[in-house]
Amino acid sequence: MAKETIAGLAKRLGISKASVSYALNGQPGVSELTRRRVLDLAEELEWYPSSSARALSRSRAGAVGMVLSADPLLIGTEPYYMGLLAGIETALAEGDMALLLRMVAKDPAQERATYERWAGERKVDGVLVFDHLHDDPRPALLERLGLPFVLHGAPDTGSPPALSGTTADHGADSATIVHHLDAGGHRRIAHVSGPQTFLHEEERIRGVRECAARHGIRVEHYEADYALESGRKAMTHLITAGSAGPPTAVVFGNDLMSMGGLLALRDLGLRCPDDVAIISWDDSLHCQLASPSVTALSRNPGMQGRVAAELLLSLLDTGEVQTRSMPGSELVVRSSTSPT
């Protein structure tokens, strides 16, 4: 049986095609009674307007774009990103929007070309931007292209905000970690961060150093890239060739690096937490199932992704620039910092 058309629905109901279109797309121009008649018939016939027709009627693509500039293998194994994507999809599904995801490795030119192509072909209505950089060229590019965007992890520019986005207090998270280590008697720690080109990593590094200094704790920094193997290499270096002697605790920028740190300790014949304690900046199933289980910051990436997507949907509907502060993270204390 052929799929019914708008013209067919209009003929069945004895009204104009325009009235059917207005009713199906939630637009003004028809009475509530007419709208209800159209929707009831559409439901009875299990009929829905095509996404392309709906997009044309709304002058929208019906999709949100997201470009991740990272190793696809890392994204596939990184629980934080998986949680983030789940939250984004939840919000977009409720807004009847699709997600167009592209992974471009670490190539700014590819990311720029993707945005330009999306804008030129009108593939997306707006974009979600992640991992804010020093002198980040993307906000200016997106404004030039006329693509509305929300920046996850936006800088706090005061009121009114300059950009729509989510903000986080990395200093408070840093203090939560350092206070826990101070209470455990640690006086020589290491911080294995992600790339310092990311502003959130710079804020975390500064937060750990400043809070540690107030507690009389010495900190050694090591820059890594979030991958498991980089955590393994970092721990090996810190134990065997650290500039200030082996640390008694290591803070890793994510859960995968923490797992690498645990593997390195086993390779070196050391025990966690008796010889070296470990904290992860991200919590996940990895941290819960590891042996020993790993103390971690619970940052709720699903909620973060959902809020970022909701901000973008609101921006598309109202044009209003808004920021939302993410709640402080909770430290989940496990065996990796609690000797038995």
Side-chain angles (χ1 to χ4, degrees), residues 76-100:
T77 57
E78 171 57 89
Y80 177 81
Y81 277 113
M82 293 300 99
L84 205 66
L85 287 169
I88 291 168
E89 284 283 14
T90 299
L92 294 184
E94 292 176 0
D96 197 23
M97 297 281 278
L99 176 64
L100 186 56

Side-chain angles (χ1 to χ4, degrees), residues 258-322:
S258 300
M259 299 304 103
L262 282 176
L263 292 175
L265 289 181
R266 293 174 191 171
D267 294 341
L268 295 167
L270 299 175
R271 295 176 300 171
C272 175
D274 303 81
D275 297 308
V276 182
I278 287 178
I279 292 183
S280 169
W281 214 289
D282 288 328
D283 196 11
S284 72
L285 194 60
H286 295 321
C287 294
Q288 297 172 40
L289 298 180
S291 181
S293 57
V294 174
T295 295
L297 279 178
S298 177
R299 300 198 295 130
N300 199 342
M303 176 272 295
Q304 293 183 21
R306 181 184 179 95
V307 170
E310 288 174 345
L311 282 173
L312 181 55
L313 294 177
S314 176
L315 179 64
L316 294 175
D317 286 339
T318 69
E320 182 183 358
V321 173
Q322 305 175 69

Side-chain angles (χ1 to χ4, degrees), residues 173-259:
D173 286 350
S174 301
T176 296
I177 289 173
V178 173
H179 289 160
H180 178 67
L181 293 177
D182 176 63
H186 296 279
R187 287 295 171 268
R188 189 172 64 254
I189 69 174
H191 178 196
V192 180
S193 75
Q196 293 186 69
T197 52
F198 297 144
L199 285 185
H200 69 266
E201 286 294 357
E202 181 183 75
E203 293 174 9
R204 292 177 182 181
I205 293 166
R206 181 170 59 249
V208 168
R209 283 178 174 167
E210 291 178 352
C211 190
R214 291 194 294 271
H215 287 281
I217 299 174
R218 186 166 52 189
V219 181
E220 180 171 0
H221 174 251
Y222 186 103
E223 183 177 6
D225 66 3
Y226 299 127
L228 182 145
E229 190 56 34
S230 70
R232 192 173 194 162
K233 289 174 60 178
M235 180 66 89
T236 301
H237 171 82
L238 292 166
I239 297 299
T240 62
S243 61
T248 61
V250 180
V251 180
F252 286 94
N254 74 342
D255 52 335
L256 290 182
M257 291 197 296
S258 300
M259 299 304 103

Side-chain angles (χ1 to χ4, degrees), residues 91-153:
L92 294 184
E94 292 176 0
D96 197 23
M97 297 281 278
L99 176 64
L100 186 56
L101 176 64
R102 288 289 180 271
M103 297 186 189
V104 296
K106 297 179 180 179
D107 187 345
Q110 284 189 37
E111 184 170 4
R112 181 176 64 251
T114 300
Y115 292 137
E116 290 172 343
R117 184 169 63 254
W118 283 349
E121 297 176 358
R122 298 185 178 180
K123 281 286 186 71
V124 298
D125 299 309
V127 296
L128 293 163
V129 181
F130 294 83
D131 294 329
H132 194 39
L133 308 169
H134 286 283
D135 301 319
D136 199 325
R138 294 174 296 177
L141 170 66
L142 293 169
E143 288 179 355
R144 179 174 62 80
L145 295 173
L147 276 177
F149 66 94
V150 162
L151 180 58
H152 178 59

Side-chain angles (χ1 to χ4, degrees), residues 6 10 15-28 30 35 38 49 53 57:
I6 285 181
I15 59 178
S16 69
K17 290 189 294 182
S19 294
V20 173
S21 178
Y22 292 154
L24 290 172
N25 290 293
Q27 296 178 333
V30 293
R35 190 185 310 278
V38 172
S57 71

